[in-house]
Amino acid sequence: MVDTAGAGAGTGGVGAPCEPDGQGNSELTIFDLAPEEDSGSDTLGRYRYQAEVAARDCLAMFTQDAIDSVVCEWHEDFVVAWTDGSVELVSVKHREDTQGPWTLAELCKSGGLTHLFDRWCACECAANIRLRLATNAALKPGKDNAGVLARMCGPEPEVTAGFIVMAENVARQMLKVRWKQPYPNVPETPVRKITDIQIPEGFVDKVARFLGVLEISCKPPHRENISDVNIQSLLVPAVEELKLADVDLENTYRAVVDRIERANRDENDRGQLAVYIADPSRVRHSTQMQQRIGRRRITREVIRQEIVFTSVQLPTFPRGQAPVVAPGGAKLRRKLRRGRVPSDEAAFAERLRSAWYTTWSERRSGLAGDETDLLNLSMDVLELAFECRRHSRAQVAEGSEFGIKMNDLLAERLKVDALPSPPPFQLNHLHLRGLAYQLCDECHFFFSEPFDADEDAS
């Protein structure tokens, strides 16, 4: 296990090759490992742009199952955790137009490439780790320069000719950076002239494997344009695909970025982290570590909670569509009848069940997380239904029917703002009652003492 607290971190010592894929600890879970502290991440401008780049992956979670979560400021600027068990360390670098395109030397020095390499080594070069350097700036073209480097990166490089020479050039640049910056996983060489550097044995091979899991991306827009681009290219399509109505796009985007920034700035335990790293008896899955990760983790549910809707009242049935009658309903009718609920209110309950059925069919995303969203919402609704039943029983004489009172309490208390957590998409109070009646039809609760709703036909 790597100890990130001191020099020599990385399997096999400084500059030594890591274990090949499939050997040793190649399947390291990076969230078992405390990252080094990054004192260079404290400016507001950097944080905001970093948060907006992270927002691109967070917004993708609306419509993509492949991303499980994003963890902010963990080893790098953020980490994308994928549902297949792989993770991607992402370093974000903004560059002003006046600075021109990245050269190979600048990419290794101030472009974060050496830093990304060092963190990859600290994570034991694990086989489930990918890397991404995301920048708004162009890469300088030409032989042995940054533009060609980007085309040589990744498991399926566009350019392969001259790869070993490029790996040697990158290795030399990283060794040069090491003269002034203390990266534990980059060897320190005594020579102070890059052409005279003696590259340590195995270091070029290690850099070559690093380039094989690296992507250099110039997709993030400039600071001045990134908000508009993210809204139009990511948020708007997600809202349309999820069929959400009355979404305030600008305020939703601002809320998402603000939430990411809060995760970035969570430094409640910085003072304790050094002690934690230095403690040789620490366990990987400590409560302290998991709590820290939890505060920095952005999930699909967290992003959905940041959706801001306008004040327009959501219609119970979608406009412009013919009403759809929900299948089933026989058990609900029997239960309402046994509970002495008036026939007109029972008919209204059927309509609300159909309203819920139509809304759920329209608004569900089609992703695997739908069933979990429905389960969570159903649990909240059932809890309120059981609470209404307890109160209705207490307000009638012992042995008397309580269904009418229970139905009244459902109408009074089953409100969107009464839920312990926000619903996965915009709903009104009648939709929630429709879900309650659907759950009743599925025999999750009764409006009377329980009975066999399959056999009761009275």
Side-chain angles (χ1 to χ4, degrees):
M1 178 64 185
V2 173
D3 182 32
T4 60
T11 305
V14 174
C18 298
E19 291 287 340
D21 291 355
Q23 300 182 26
N25 294 326
S26 62
E27 291 298 332
L28 173 73
T29 300
I30 66 167
F31 302 116
D32 298 342
L33 178 69
E36 297 176 7
E37 294 307 299
D38 187 356
S39 60
S41 60
D42 298 326
T43 63
L44 291 178
R46 177 188 184 280
Y47 266 126
R48 191 67 181 182
Y49 185 74
Q50 174 185 318
E52 296 205 66
V53 174
R56 296 171 64 82
D57 288 278
C58 291
L59 292 174
M61 285 194 288
F62 274 133
T63 55
Q64 295 180 22
D65 270 342
I67 300 177
D68 177 72
S69 61
V70 171
V71 180
C72 302
E73 286 290 337
W74 197 261
H75 291 283
E76 276 296 344
D77 292 321
F78 63 93
V79 172
V80 180
W82 301 83
T83 53
D84 64 2
S86 64
V87 291
E88 185 178 27
L89 277 61
V90 184
S91 176
V92 179
K93 293 296 178 183
H94 185 274
R95 190 169 171 88
E96 301 298 337
D97 290 335
T98 55
Q99 296 177 284
W102 290 107
T103 63
L104 179 63
E106 289 172 326
L107 209 58
C108 291
K109 181 181 179 181
S110 55
L113 204 61
T114 306
H115 186 275
L116 196 57
F117 173 82
D118 186 69
R119 294 297 170 92
W120 175 67
C121 294
C123 294
E124 301 179 7
C125 319
N128 65 324
I129 293 181
R130 304 199 302 265
L131 309 164
R132 190 196 325 164
L133 178 59
T135 179
N136 64 298
L139 306 172
K140 191 166 185 177
K143 184 180 179 181
D144 299 332
N145 222 315
V148 176
L149 170 64
R151 298 168 64 194
M152 289 183 169
C153 290
E156 298 179 358
E158 180 184 347
V159 175
T160 57
F163 176 75
I164 294 301
V165 173
M166 177 63 76
E168 291 178 353
N169 290 339
V170 172
R172 289 182 183 279
Q173 292 296 337
M174 288 183 176
L175 293 170
K176 179 182 178 181
V177 170
R178 180 65 177 85
W179 294 343
K180 294 184 178 180
Q181 299 182 48
Y183 289 116
N185 296 291
V186 178
E188 187 173 8
T189 56
V191 179
R192 287 299 185 265
K193 187 176 180 182
I194 191 168
T195 54
D196 296 334
I197 288 178
Q198 295 295 314
I199 302 177
E201 183 179 356
F203 189 63
V204 172
D205 290 339
K206 196 171 185 179
V207 170
R209 284 187 285 114
F210 163 74
L211 299 180
V213 295
L214 172 68
E215 175 194 0
I216 300 178
S217 170
C218 299
K219 294 178 182 178
H222 285 263
R223 182 184 294 125
E224 297 79 10
N225 305 321
I226 190 168
S227 296
D228 290 338
V229 171
N230 285 356
I231 290 172
Q232 295 304 319
S233 65
L234 295 168
L235 183 56
V236 169
V239 167
E240 293 175 350
E241 184 170 337
L242 296 175
K243 299 181 180 178
L244 300 178
D246 306 316
V247 174
D248 187 326
L249 295 172
E250 290 191 4
N251 282 326
T252 294
Y253 179 73
R254 187 177 299 113
V256 169
V257 175
D258 287 348
R259 179 64 183 84
I260 295 170
E261 283 194 312
R262 290 199 302 274
N264 279 345
R265 292 194 178 108
D266 188 285
E267 301 301 330
N268 293 337
D269 53 4
R270 265 190 186 269
Q272 302 175 14
L273 184 60
V275 176
Y276 174 84
I277 294 174
D279 181 4
S281 66
R282 69 185 186 275
V283 294
R284 287 186 173 189
H285 295 284
S286 72
T287 301
Q288 179 192 39
M289 183 66 75
Q290 293 306 314
Q291 288 175 345
R292 186 184 182 201
I293 294 169
R295 290 194 298 270
R296 293 169 181 258
R297 188 185 298 275
I298 307 295
T299 63
R300 183 175 291 103
E301 179 60 28
V302 168
I303 293 299
R304 285 187 174 183
Q305 291 177 12
E306 300 301 334
I307 297 176
V308 178
F309 295 98
T310 63
S311 58
V312 177
Q313 178 64 40
L314 183 71
T316 303
F317 283 94
R319 295 188 178 96
Q321 298 183 23
V324 177
V325 177
K331 294 179 183 179
L332 173 63
R333 289 190 291 272
R334 292 168 192 162
K335 292 178 179 181
L336 292 173
R337 188 160 54 244
R338 178 68 71 92
R340 300 291 189 265
V341 175
S343 59
D344 54 350
E345 293 187 28
F348 187 57
E350 283 285 358
R351 294 190 186 95
L352 293 185
R353 194 173 68 87
S354 292
W356 160 254
Y357 175 81
T358 302
T359 299
W360 172 246
S361 300
E362 289 290 321
R363 299 300 176 86
R364 61 186 304 175
S365 67
L367 301 177
D370 283 340
E371 295 308 314
T372 302
D373 289 338
L374 179 58
L375 178 61
N376 287 331
L377 183 59
S378 298
M379 294 292 286
D380 292 342
V381 170
L382 281 173
E383 175 62 24
L384 281 167
F386 292 146
E387 180 182 321
C388 292
R389 185 169 68 184
R390 288 192 294 270
H391 283 276
S392 61
R393 274 177 170 162
Q395 294 180 32
V396 299
E398 186 175 354
S400 300
E401 297 295 344
F402 54 82
I404 296 176
K405 183 61 180 176
M406 179 179 174
N407 198 46
D408 290 343
L409 287 176
L410 274 178
E412 176 185 332
R413 299 185 180 185
L414 194 52
K415 309 291 186 183
V416 174
D417 52 10
L419 296 174
S421 58
F425 49 78
Q426 190 181 21
L427 298 170
N428 65 26
H429 306 325
L430 296 181
H431 292 134
L432 289 182
R433 285 173 62 192
L435 172 56
Y437 292 131
Q438 177 61 37
L439 293 171
C440 180
D441 189 57
E442 296 171 0
C443 285
H444 291 286
F445 71 91
F446 292 75
F447 282 87
S448 63
E449 297 302 331
F451 64 95
D452 189 342
D454 287 314
E455 296 182 1
D456 187 280
S458 58

